[in-house]
Amino acid sequence: MSVTSADNLAEVRALLVSVLGIEDRAATLDAATPLLGSLPEFDSMAVLEIVAGIEERFGISVDDDEVTAELFETLGSLAAFVDEKRS
């Protein structure tokens, strides 16, 4: 995956914080922040909400086969995916 833009990373972080309800920890999230299996709020329902939020916010379509554990490994991997889909 490519390196993600700072603006895109910030937008994806804002979506994640909103969906997970972790506004109190928003400032601690960076590209290296592990997601799946590391944030207790990040469960299967959150994955569905985040995918729906990405599709709506960024105007992209996410195929079922693209929703993998690797995609949700870190905030950076998720933001890089969005970058790729937008380009």
Side-chain angles (χ1 to χ4, degrees):
M1 295 203 175
S2 62
V3 174
T4 186
S5 70
D7 287 347
N8 195 56
L9 183 67
E11 281 191 69
V12 173
R13 176 177 38 235
L15 173 66
L16 192 74
V17 165
S18 172
V19 169
L20 299 180
I22 55 171
E23 288 80 5
D24 59 328
R25 288 181 272 156
T28 66
L29 303 179
D30 62 20
T33 301
L35 301 177
L36 201 57
S38 296
L39 296 176
E41 301 84 358
F42 205 99
D43 59 15
S44 57
M45 285 305 298
V47 167
L48 296 175
E49 288 181 54
I50 289 166
V51 168
I54 286 172
E55 290 180 327
E56 185 177 314
R57 179 175 281 199
F58 299 104
I60 59 177
S61 178
V62 180
D63 296 327
D64 290 345
D65 64 345
E66 293 175 308
V67 180
T68 63
E70 291 78 28
L71 174 61
F72 293 101
E73 188 175 347
T74 65
L75 179 57
S77 65
L78 187 57
F81 171 79
V82 171
D83 256 358
E84 282 181 23
K85 293 292 276 188
R86 291 175 88 183
S87 60

